Amino acid sequence: MARRGATHRLIRWLWTSRRPDARLARLGLLPAAGLYRMGTALRARAYRARWLPVHDLPLPAVAVGNLTVGGSGKTPIASWIASYFVARGLVPGILLRGYRGGDEALVHRQQVPAARVVTDPDRVAGAARALAEGAQVLVLDDAFQRLDVHRDLNLAVVSAETTRAVRWPLPAGPWREGLPALKRADLVVITRRRADAGTAARFADRIAERTRRPVAVVHLAAQRYEGMLSGRLVPAASLAGARVVAASAIGDPEAFVAQTKATGAAVQAASWLDHHVFTEADLAWLAKAARKSDHLVVTLKDAVKLRDRWPASVPEPLVAMLDLEWERGHDDVVAALEAAVAPLEPL
């Protein structure tokens, strides 16, 4: 386990610890963090002043993004939005930058089969491809900082768990932009995994007061598991007392581990960096973990990369399936989505 999870422990120490050594390490990164914050501020100002061009997209567009590095729940939110449009009878195009491994694109294709999923760093070119494939509305995943394209709805996702992190910019902290950037948002969604409902609600109240924007709260809960190959349903309660290895390559592995522990299982954690491409050695390690434990549990984001490579002779992993439970602001979210696609309604 030394090499699996060591990087996450170092980052967690740097970004959350109040110990003197962590504070000293952050101070050492202060010049880089200052340059990063200055650069993002100048870039935002350049787009506001139209010194840099903002391109129109050929379809109504909803942008979903966050202020911090990884783990906010933006991809589940983007999938939920695309599914909402499918239920409305529209064909959504989901646009992504496309990270190595392609995990987020694979997740969207599994969660929203009717969507046209396009990976392209050039969102204008990606939008043209989605339109050519029959899309009627665009969902831009990880696009809050994509100021070069126009969007009809700008939705910012903020994790309630970030209240534990220092408010320092990258690389001294996890923040791409500070909370003042939320004033660019039309609507803010607070997600919570391990944070309790009260913490999320108080955080939402502070954000609403600060931004004067509608703020919704959603609980991303792992209440059920599915066999990665068979699709068999396994209730969370059945993991109580079991020896479980929780393996993940996501932005917030601690939240995944906490959710797994909440089932009552005895959990051993293994983590890799977000978007990690599993090697043959990694696969062999996971197979060994599956044989020696009662269950190997993985995230959906990791399952889409492992499913076609999993050895048939090894017990299948269980995939934690996230259910979105809106605790506040569901009607505001729906109203905003309806307004975004209003031009598509016939006169």
Side-chain angles (χ1 to χ4, degrees), residues 321-335:
M321 306 300 294
L322 289 180
D323 294 315
L324 276 69
E325 301 174 357
W326 292 96
E327 298 177 332
R328 166 174 167 174
H330 173 267
D331 291 346
D332 290 328
V333 174
V334 169

Side-chain angles (χ1 to χ4, degrees), residues 120-131:
D120 195 325
D122 184 339
R123 298 299 172 97
V124 177
R129 284 174 53 193
L131 175 64

